[in-house]
Amino acid sequence: MKTQLNWRNTTAIGLGLMAMTFTSCKKDSTETPTAKKSYSANISNIGTNVITQTYKELASKSAILYSEVVKLKDNQTASNLDIARGAWRDTRVPWEKSEGFLFGPVDTKGIDPAIDSWPVNKIDLDAVLAGSDALTESFIDALAGELKGFHTIEYLLWGGTGNKQVGDFTAREFEYLLSVTENLKNKTKILADSWDPAGENFVKNLTEAGTSSSIYLTEKSALQELVQGMIGIADEVANGKINDPLSQQDLSKEESQFSHNSKNDFANNVRSISNVYNGKFNVNGLGIYDVVKESDQNLADRLNDEINAAITAIDNIPGTFSDAVFNNQAAVNEAKDKITVIQTTLESEILPIINNL
């Protein structure tokens, strides 16, 4: 009896301990894992207040440029030529500031090559101008990228030497200029409408990243796209736009060679990196900086220092880029090296932080 009682007691105690152990194990296995931090606010701000607003400004400036070219054609004065050239430079600013995010409709709709191909194909352009085709906007739209867009407009406004006078224009050049500028206006409006929430609303792929987006299934993938965009433009400016004409001593490789606007283009490309990184365009907001600083405040600040140093180095290139390629190569190399530093930091330090989120 005693033994039996003891066994029962022992068994009861044992079952009780087993039950406690089971209960304990069950509790551990059902603990709610710590929720991952959301960066939806950062991604949404970049998509809405940086990218979409940059494209809206680009479309607005392009419309102004078209308006000024119409005025120039109707009233062919040196003053109106200067105003049209100024409008071209103004339109370049938001475009170059958009090159840190060359993904989405600008890529899938072929807008980038349609509006920013260079060098201009002067031989084919001269052949078109010498022909008899009606130079309508739809005719221009069907041409290759090297016969339309920013740099064809630049070539027509400044001429091959950069010294074109208003009296040098032919009637066919004015006709071409008008239609190619209208084409730029239309293309940039398509781009802006593609991102606009009231239009095709591509921006929702960023604002809904990790939830309803069919492109960015996680917030991490959206952040990776944004960082890869910054890396891409840093690489293009340092190793393409600057290095190609410098290393080959060939100004046909220079992007904005007729207007001598290349230094502004480079600086605004670097500013496009800054805008995405800091979540800033016309207003301040959350950006990639705010993600990075949670892991490494010094690194987050250092990249901003590197961005500022690169812009300063570009500004410090004496004279025009065309001249500096031959006569101030040390300054050009300094600017290229500063941009390469940005690329290296993004690739080797910033992107790994994003990949590990």
Side-chain angles (χ1 to χ4, degrees):
M1 175 68 80
K2 183 178 180 180
T3 301
Q4 186 176 19
L5 286 174
N6 286 343
W7 181 86
R8 285 177 177 173
N9 289 341
T10 301
T11 302
I13 293 169
L15 289 171
L17 288 171
M18 290 174 63
M20 290 174 63
T21 303
F22 177 76
T23 302
S24 176
C25 289
K26 185 177 181 180
K27 182 180 179 181
D28 288 342
S29 66
T30 57
E31 277 185 346
T32 303
T34 303
K36 296 190 71 171
K37 181 177 176 60
S38 173
Y39 296 102
S40 176
N42 307 61
I43 299 167
S44 294
N45 178 62
I46 294 169
T48 302
N49 295 321
V50 178
I51 298 177
T52 303
Q53 291 304 314
T54 300
Y55 285 141
K56 284 186 175 182
E57 185 166 306
L58 173 64
S60 174
K61 296 289 186 183
S62 296
I64 293 171
L65 171 59
Y66 175 67
S67 174
E68 297 302 340
V69 166
V70 170
K71 291 178 185 174
L72 172 62
K73 181 175 181 293
D74 292 342
N75 188 10
Q76 299 169 16
T77 66
S79 174
N80 282 343
L81 177 58
D82 286 343
I83 291 171
R85 287 172 173 173
W88 182 90
R89 292 183 190 278
D90 289 346
T91 310
R92 286 294 285 175
V93 174
W95 169 249
E96 296 301 303
K97 285 183 177 178
S98 79
E99 292 198 312
F101 39 87
L102 290 175
F103 57 86
V106 72
D107 176 41
T108 59
K109 296 189 176 188
I111 292 175
D112 181 13
I115 70 173
D116 198 35
S117 289
W118 91 92
V120 174
N121 187 334
K122 299 177 190 175
I123 294 175
D124 285 357
L125 178 58
D126 287 342
V128 174
L129 289 169
S132 58
D133 292 307
L135 301 176
T136 63
E137 191 275 336
S138 60
F139 176 83
I140 299 294
D141 189 53
L143 296 176
E146 293 79 10
L147 294 172
K148 58 188 179 183
F150 273 110
H151 298 297
T152 297
I153 298 170
E154 179 195 13
Y155 176 71
L156 290 169
L157 285 174
W158 274 269
T161 63
N163 295 316
K164 189 174 185 178
Q165 305 299 307
V166 71
D168 296 332
F169 281 83
T170 67
R172 290 278 287 177
E173 285 179 339
F174 271 122
E175 188 180 349
Y176 200 113
L177 176 62
L178 193 67
S179 293
V180 73
T181 308
E182 183 181 7
N183 185 252
L184 178 71
K185 175 176 73 81
N186 293 345
K187 293 292 186 188
T188 54
K189 185 175 188 307
I190 289 170
L191 181 56
D193 289 347
S194 297
W195 278 81
D196 194 333
E200 294 180 22
N201 199 16
F202 184 85
V203 70
K204 76 174 183 180
N205 287 293
L206 289 179
T207 59
E208 297 177 358
T211 55
S212 302
S213 173
S214 60
I215 296 178
Y216 306 111
L217 303 183
T218 63
E219 291 180 2
K220 181 198 289 190
S221 65
L223 291 168
Q224 289 169 326
E225 178 89 280
L226 293 166
V227 175
Q228 290 289 0
M230 294 190 287
I231 291 171
I233 193 58
D235 180 34
E236 181 179 344
V237 178
N239 300 312
K241 294 184 178 188
I242 292 179
N243 187 64
D244 284 352
L246 176 65
S247 62
Q248 299 176 43
Q249 294 288 278
D250 181 358
L251 293 184
S252 73
K253 307 291 184 183
E254 182 185 357
E255 186 175 13
S256 293
Q257 57 189 278
F258 310 118
S259 61
H260 297 305
N261 201 57
S262 298
K263 286 165 45 180
N264 291 332
D265 288 351
F266 306 154
N268 284 321
N269 281 158
V270 176
R271 291 187 180 99
S272 77
I273 296 173
S274 177
N275 290 348
V276 172
Y277 183 61
N278 293 296
K280 176 182 178 182
F281 185 55
N282 291 321
V283 296
N284 291 326
L286 295 172
I288 306 295
Y289 169 88
D290 300 282
V291 180
V292 175
K293 77 175 185 180
E294 292 179 356
S295 298
D296 190 334
Q297 180 73 62
N298 290 333
L299 170 61
D301 292 335
R302 174 158 57 83
L303 182 61
N304 269 331
D305 292 341
E306 293 169 356
I307 289 169
N308 292 332
I311 293 172
T312 298
I314 293 167
D315 290 342
N316 285 343
I317 296 173
T320 67
F321 181 74
S322 302
D323 179 72
V325 162
F326 299 105
N327 299 315
N328 285 290
Q329 295 181 13
V332 176
N333 273 311
E334 175 75 4
K336 183 185 74 170
D337 292 344
K338 295 293 185 186
I339 300 168
T340 299
V341 169
I342 295 172
Q343 181 184 351
T344 301
T345 299
L346 286 167
E347 288 177 329
S348 64
E349 298 183 78
I350 303 294
L351 187 58
I353 288 176
I354 302 301
N355 289 340
N356 288 326
L357 290 176

